[in-house]
Amino acid sequence: SCREHVRANDIAGRYGGDEFIIMIPGTTSTRAAQLAAALTGPSARVAGAAGSPVVFTLSVGIAESVGCLDLPSLLGRADLAMYEAKRAGGGCFRIFEGTGLAPDAVPAS
């Protein structure tokens, strides 16, 4: 679950509709990629109102604040990366790179 991966000083919240934001202060896209890989992995079993399983995928966009002048710019970058993940079929993440988007490979530690 998300609680297992989000640290106490991270900021998580609903942005609107079916979109959520996790702000991870003081880190790079490497940590964000590790979190995204965990969140886009096999989903937990979620039961719907009638008890039947709910199937869903997560599409995650990652952007670093370096070079962003304000929060809307940062969110715009993350949004572009998220839509690239959706175009890739969902259940994955993409990192905003400025001139292009990187595949969802988590760098080795």
Side-chain angles (χ1 to χ4, degrees):
S1 77
C2 187
R3 288 182 193 171
E4 297 170 2
H5 304 289
V6 178
R7 303 172 303 184
N9 62 329
D10 295 342
I11 302 164
R14 184 173 177 217
Y15 187 59
D18 61 354
E19 293 185 359
F20 295 83
I21 294 174
I22 302 174
M23 304 284 290
I24 308 171
T27 192
T28 65
S29 58
T30 300
R31 160 82 172 110
Q34 292 168 342
L35 176 58
L39 293 175
T40 58
S43 60
R45 294 178 183 226
V46 178
S52 59
V54 176
V55 179
F56 63 92
T57 60
L58 296 176
S59 299
V60 177
I62 297 171
E64 288 190 41
S65 61
V66 176
C68 280
L69 300 177
D70 53 33
L71 183 59
S73 297
L74 178 61
L75 295 177
R77 289 177 176 188
D79 203 44
L80 288 171
M82 180 201 58
Y83 280 107
E84 184 63 27
K86 285 185 175 193
R87 280 190 291 277
C92 62
F93 66 90
R94 294 294 183 261
I95 300 172
F96 181 82
E97 297 289 348
T99 58
L101 299 175
D104 56 335
V106 177
S109 301

